[in-house]
């Protein structure tokens, strides 16, 4: 088990390192960063001065190494736009994105798991078909459009929910639904498939034969085993969702890290964008690592993989 | 072999594999509905210049924001006009070209990259497999929307840039599925036989492996087409994808958003079409999977 964790940890670190290199290379894809900071009206001398101040005149590998060392210590440089440390900007906004992510995955699990269980209990029944329809629709629904529809219905027509902002928990209701609905189909399908497989196994027949109630069979025996892959899928989805928060946050004007990313891209604020790519992939890497370790802990067969 | 129409002989022989396949295809509702809708939209996209009642770029400031017919508008503009007086139906029809082009070309690019990587990893195993698996992990760790937005912002939003960026980003599922499929096939007797008679590696891959995993590939192609279309719409919606005045459905939703309070149909119409296209492609993909792998049918 320890060997598995160490191996998996090594992979995670290597992936993080590669993502950091790709993220860093964005700076040079965009042309001359010094000219970008100086602005269009700057003279050649100004640009040269800025190049020296920011250290763009040094070898690329040296710059990358310094940037990486800083990033490891939580120092991502200074935002071109705000002239503030990027780390502070992100730290300030991250709590909103994390809240949204946790709410979103909770919403997805709370709706998808019972639906998946109900669908598996009666395959091809009305509820199975309804669940399938809901998941097929969820996969095809453009999240930005779904968000706007919710705003039209609940904010404009009914006047029940605020269309934008993040000051109260009520502001998080619509963003949570939009973000959660994105992760729902996959979780529901996996729950259903897992339950169907487990329900046809011998120990379920034994449990039924010894007279356990249907509820007990479902929750005590079947769901316990079917839920293991769902938990790790949820962890992976959580990583994806944080990356997807950029769309949801921009619709509902939630000033989280995703919104910051959108604004920073529009402003050509590369240090902020680089740091955000690193932060979002960092979350994904951590969540998938935890999911794998959890899986290996619960199911020893996974440890050899 | 002559084709026979003798009913008795047919009964003895049973249906041919081709007949069985046709029966499964035409008996699958999802596949028929999805495939039909996709075919319809492809025809609309190809015939756009014939079908569109107006020039999708022609502005007419006197005819701004006319409502669609079902909300009391005139048949002159069946789906109304946008904030610049451009005919909404014509923009919608030309928008099908943008979405389908992005879906097809991006899926082709990512399909080529992902299939090459996946098949190589599955066939050669060992170091090659390790490198490919690592690259898949790296790709999955990068937030797609964020990276796509950043790169498109750097190179400027145009149809070509969006297509290339999406093509270079969406190969992960191809690589994962093709790798697994190749692993399943490579140990079969016919591959060993081909190797024994001295076939070259490219020949084994192209004539022995590919034909046996191509059904999985087609399913992933449809899924990734849908994925690329949704992502383009999201990028354009965020203002960092296809740029105005190109009629992209995502861009139309974004432009309609400003007037959502009074004219919600501006947002609803392009969204519904986008939703239907993606739904149709997904239904087609699910159907193809059911039809080509009947043992997996639930």
């Amino acid at each position: 088990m320890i060997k598995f964790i160490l191996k998996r940890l090594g992979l995670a670190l290597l992936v993080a390192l590669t993502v950091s290199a790709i993220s860093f290379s964005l700076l040079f894809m965009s042309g001359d960063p010094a000219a970008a900071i100086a602005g269009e009206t700057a003279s050649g001398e100004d640009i040269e001065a800025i190049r020296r101040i920011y250290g763009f005149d040094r070898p690329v590998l040296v710059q990358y190494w310094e940037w990486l060392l800083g990033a490891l210590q939580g120092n991502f440089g200074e935002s071109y736009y705000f002239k503030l440390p990027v780390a502070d900007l992100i730290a300030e906004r991250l709590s909103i994105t994390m809240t949204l992510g946790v709410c979103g995955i909770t919403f997805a699990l709370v709706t998808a798991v019972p639906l998946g269980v109900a669908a598996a209990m009666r395959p091809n029944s009305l509820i199975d078909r309804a669940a399938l329809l809901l998941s097929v629709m969820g996969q095809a629904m453009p999240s930005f459009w779904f968000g706007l529809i919710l705003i039209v219905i609940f904010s404009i027509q009914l006047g029940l929910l605020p269309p934008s902002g993040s000051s109260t928990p009520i502001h998080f209701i619509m963003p949570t639904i939009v973000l959660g609905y994105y992760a729902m189909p996959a979780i529901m399908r996996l729950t259903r498939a897992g339950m169907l497989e487990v329900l046809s196994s011998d120990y379920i027949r034994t449990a039924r034969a010894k007279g356990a109630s249907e509820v007990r069979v479902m929750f005590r025996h079947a769901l316990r085993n079917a839920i293991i892959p769902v938990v790790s899928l949820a962890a992976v989805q959580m990583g994806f969702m944080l990356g997807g928060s950029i769309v949801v946050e921009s619709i509902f004007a939630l000033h989280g890290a995703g919104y910051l990313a959108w604004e920073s891209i529009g402003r050509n604020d590369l240090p902020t964008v680089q740091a955000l790519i690193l932060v979002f992939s960092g979350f994904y890497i951590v969540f998938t690592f935890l999911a794998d370790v959890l899986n290996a802990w619960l199911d020893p067969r996974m440890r050899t993989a | 072999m002559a084709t026979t129409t003798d009913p008795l002989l047919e009964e003895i022989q049973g249906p041919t594999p081709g007949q069985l396949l046709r029966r499964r295809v035409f008996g699958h509702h999802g596949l028929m509905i999805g495939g039909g809708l996709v075919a319809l939209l492809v025809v609309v996209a190809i015939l756009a210049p014939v079908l569109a009642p107006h020039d999708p770029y022609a502005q007419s400031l006197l005819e701004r924001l006319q409502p669609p017919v079902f909300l009391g508008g005139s048949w002159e503009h069946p789906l109304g006009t946008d904030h610049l007086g451009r005919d909404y139906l014509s923009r919608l029809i030309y928008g099908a070209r943008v979405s389908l082009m992005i879906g097809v070309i991006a899926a082709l690019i990512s399909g080529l990259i992902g299939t090459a990587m996946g098949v190589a990893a599955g066939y050669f195993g060992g170091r090659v497999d390790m490198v490919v698996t690592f690259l898949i992990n790296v790709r999955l760790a990068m937030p797609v929307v964020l990276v796509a937005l950043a790169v498109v912002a750097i190179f400027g939003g145009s149809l070509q840039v969006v297509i290339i960026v999406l093509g270079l980003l969406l190969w992960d599922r191809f690589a994962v599925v093709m790798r697994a499929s190749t692993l399943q096939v490579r140990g079969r007797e016919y591959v060993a036989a081909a190797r024994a008679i001295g076939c070259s590696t490219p020949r084994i891959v192209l004539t022995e492996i590919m034909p046996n995993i191509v059904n999985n590939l087609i399913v992933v192609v449809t899924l990734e087409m849908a994925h690329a279309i949704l992502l383009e719409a999201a990028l354009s919606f965020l203002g960092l994808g296809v740029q105005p005045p190109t009629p992209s459905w995502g861009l139309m939703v974004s432009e309609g958003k400003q007037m959502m309070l009074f004219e919600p149909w501006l947002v609803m119409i392009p969204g519904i079409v986008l939703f239907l296209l993606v739904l149709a492609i997904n239904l087609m993909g699910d159907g193809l999977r059911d039809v080509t792998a009947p043992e997996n049918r639930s």
Side-chain angles (χ1 to χ4, degrees), chain B residues 21 54 64 85 97 105 122 199 224:
Chain B
L21 182 70
H54 296 272
R64 292 170 54 199
R97 288 188 155 188
I105 305 180
C199 287
E224 289 307 309

Side-chain angles (χ1 to χ4, degrees), chain A residues 112 134-139 180-190:
Chain A
L134 209 62
S135 85
V136 168
M137 280 176 58
Q139 275 171 334
Y181 194 26
Y182 169 80
M184 216 194 92
I187 295 178
M188 200 215 76
R189 285 180 171 205
L190 192 65

Side-chain angles (χ1 to χ4, degrees), chain A:
Chain A
M1 184 70 195
I2 289 187
K3 197 178 151 205
F4 171 83
I5 292 180
L6 285 178
K7 228 171 118 184
R8 191 60 192 71
L9 193 64
L11 177 68
L13 289 175
L14 213 55
V15 168
L17 195 69
T18 314
V19 171
S20 79
I22 294 171
S23 168
F24 182 76
S25 67
L26 277 181
L27 189 62
F28 296 93
M29 264 194 242
S30 60
D32 188 351
I37 300 170
E40 283 166 22
T41 52
S43 67
E45 284 162 33
D46 290 343
I47 295 175
E48 276 312 311
I50 285 172
R51 184 164 298 152
R52 266 193 307 279
I53 294 170
Y54 280 87
F56 294 135
D57 50 349
R58 295 166 308 156
V60 173
L61 274 177
V62 174
Q63 291 184 51
Y64 171 61
W65 178 242
E66 272 192 4
W67 178 74
L68 190 66
L69 277 186
L72 285 175
Q73 296 160 14
N75 172 18
F76 291 99
E78 192 180 70
S79 156
Y80 294 167
Y81 180 83
F82 291 104
K83 311 285 178 207
L84 288 168
V86 172
D88 295 356
L89 281 174
I90 295 179
E92 201 179 291
R93 315 270 189 119
L94 212 51
S95 67
I96 287 182
T97 302
M98 290 305 285
T99 312
L100 184 59
V102 172
C103 290
I105 199 71
T106 310
F107 173 77
L109 284 170
V110 165
T111 51
V113 171
L115 259 181
V117 172
M121 278 170 80
R122 306 210 183 295
N124 287 320
S125 66
L126 201 65
I127 190 152
D128 186 18
R129 281 168 195 272
L132 185 68
L133 184 75
L134 209 62
S135 85
V136 168
M137 280 176 58
Q139 275 171 334
M141 189 83 85
S143 55
F144 60 91
W145 183 61
F146 185 40
L148 291 179
I149 291 179
L150 290 185
I151 293 181
V152 168
I153 297 175
F154 292 103
S155 305
I156 299 177
Q157 305 280 352
L158 300 175
L160 285 176
L161 296 168
S164 61
S166 59
S167 45
T168 66
I170 295 174
H171 285 90
F172 281 90
I173 293 178
M174 289 197 290
T176 296
I177 294 174
V178 174
L179 198 61
Y181 194 26
Y182 169 80
M184 216 194 92
I187 295 178
M188 200 215 76
R189 285 180 171 205
L190 192 65
T191 310
R192 180 181 179 276
M195 283 297 280
L196 277 178
E197 200 190 319
V198 169
L199 284 177
S200 64
S201 61
D202 290 341
Y203 63 85
I204 295 296
R205 205 176 43 191
T206 310
R208 284 201 174 122
K210 72 177 189 189
S213 69
E214 195 60 17
V215 174
R216 195 181 155 87
V217 170
M218 280 296 155
F219 291 96
R220 177 107 191 145
H221 296 275
L223 189 58
R224 268 189 151 197
N225 286 289
I227 204 80
I228 298 174
V230 174
V231 171
S232 66
L233 176 71
V236 175
Q237 289 283 348
M238 175 91 183
F240 277 129
M241 274 162 85
L242 289 175
S245 66
I246 184 166
V247 177
V248 177
E249 286 181 14
S250 75
I251 305 169
F252 295 102
L254 277 176
H255 287 255
Y259 196 85
L260 179 67
W262 181 47
E263 285 181 314
S264 304
I265 290 170
R267 291 170 182 147
N268 247 327
D269 190 353
L270 274 171
T272 315
V273 177
Q274 287 175 326
L276 281 165
I277 291 177
L278 213 54
V279 168
F280 281 126
S281 5
F283 278 121
Y284 177 85
I285 292 167
V286 170
F287 283 126
T288 45
F289 172 71
L290 291 178
D292 283 357
V293 171
L294 185 71
N295 252 343
W297 181 50
L298 292 172
D299 186 348
R301 282 169 301 181
M302 306 289 270
R303 287 176 207 170
T304 51

